[in-house]
């Protein structure tokens, strides 16, 4: 299996690996949800299947309280049978052309998940490539946003998150993240 790891500062690492996010243990697993919080295909379907019905029951309660989750936002539930304590259901933007606020909305998803993580004292968090599936975000552009936000968060020693794992589905998504990471490093 493909995997690569970088140290941002002492004890703070970003890992990129190929795989199924439902099989990777972390304190919090991030889901690429939709604003209805109703479940769907892709990683959302995989998370609900592997986590079991308790996650949707909890989302039913959240939906009853807040209605839809806005694009760029995220809500937290417990993780059911997944190897995690929490699932953060993040609502990424549907990609149109990149000029309709998509980068800001995608960055907002990552920041919101990292805030939910800090509020819960999460030390390890895993992310899929939010918006880069059915929502059509070009994978390299999505990777640049994701890696920038997460690396910045890990660069702050006051934060509780110590390890972020990007779990990419398939070799081409993994290679895209790897290429973007190398570009970001070279630009420093
Ligand atoms: P979105 O609607 O936000 O685009 P998708 O679930 O369609 O969400 O896709 C997001 C990314 O998650 C895609 O790159 C897709 O290949 C990937 N993906 C699908 N299933 C899994 C899984 N089990 N683990 C990790 N990533 C997954």
């Amino acid at each position: 299996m493909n995997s690569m790891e970088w140290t941002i500062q002492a004890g703070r690492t970003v890992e990129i690996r190929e795989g199924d996010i439902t099989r990777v243990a972390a304190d919090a697993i991030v889901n690429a949800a939709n604003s209805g919080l109703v479940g769907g295909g892709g990683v959302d379907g995989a998370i609900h299947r592997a986590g079991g019905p308790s996650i949707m029951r909890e989302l039913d309660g959240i939906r009853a309280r807040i209605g839809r989750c806005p694009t760029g936002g995220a809500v937290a539930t417990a993780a059911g049978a997944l190897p995690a304590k929490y699932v953060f259901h993040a609502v990424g933007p549907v990609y149109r052309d990149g000029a309709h606020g998509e980068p800001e909305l995608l960055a907002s998803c990552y920041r919101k998940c990292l805030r939910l993580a800090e509020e819960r004292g999460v030390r390890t968090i895993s992310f899929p490539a939010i918006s880069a599936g059915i929502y059509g975000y070009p994978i390299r552009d999505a990777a640049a946003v994701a890696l920038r936000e997460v690396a910045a968060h890990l660069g702050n020693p006051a934060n509780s998150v110590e390890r972020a794992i990007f779990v990419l589905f398939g070799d081409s998504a993994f290679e895209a993240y790897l290429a973007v990471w190398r570009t970001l490093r070279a630009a420093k």
Side-chain angles (χ1 to χ4, degrees):
M1 174 174 311
N2 277 323
S3 117
M4 197 69 93
E5 184 175 309
W6 295 276
T7 300
I8 304 289
Q9 59 166 317
R12 306 294 174 104
T13 54
V14 174
E15 183 185 344
I16 293 172
R17 69 155 91 167
E18 192 185 338
D20 174 351
I21 200 166
T22 67
R23 310 292 290 272
V24 177
D27 294 335
I29 294 175
V30 174
N31 182 17
N34 50 60
S35 65
L37 303 172
V38 291
V43 71
D44 199 4
I47 281 176
H48 283 286
R49 272 195 305 279
S54 64
I55 298 176
M56 190 52 82
R57 277 200 299 273
E58 201 176 340
L59 287 174
D60 290 342
I62 291 171
R63 218 179 299 112
R65 279 201 313 279
I66 70 162
R68 300 169 75 81
C69 178
T71 302
V75 301
T77 66
L82 288 165
K85 292 194 195 98
Y86 308 105
V87 176
F88 301 153
H89 306 264
V91 183
V94 176
Y95 190 86
R96 289 166 68 185
D97 56 6
H100 287 80
E102 296 96 329
E104 294 77 15
L105 289 166
L106 187 60
S108 164
C109 278
Y110 285 95
R111 285 200 293 268
K112 184 69 203 281
C113 288
L114 292 163
R115 187 151 79 238
L116 292 172
E118 292 299 325
E119 287 164 3
R120 288 161 181 77
V122 160
R123 303 206 329 214
T124 57
I125 183 168
S126 64
F127 293 95
I130 300 169
S131 282
I134 298 157
Y135 281 4
Y137 212 115
I139 184 93
R140 283 188 178 225
D141 296 342
V145 171
L147 288 165
R148 216 183 295 118
E149 292 300 329
V150 168
H153 189 85
L154 287 169
N156 181 347
N159 288 334
S160 72
V161 176
E162 294 171 352
R163 185 177 184 79
I165 311 165
F166 289 98
V167 185
L168 290 326
F169 208 54
D171 190 57
S172 69
F174 174 80
E175 292 298 333
Y177 267 66
L178 196 56
V180 171
W181 179 261
R182 291 196 172 118
T183 310
L184 292 176
R185 297 272 295 204
K188 277 210 171 148

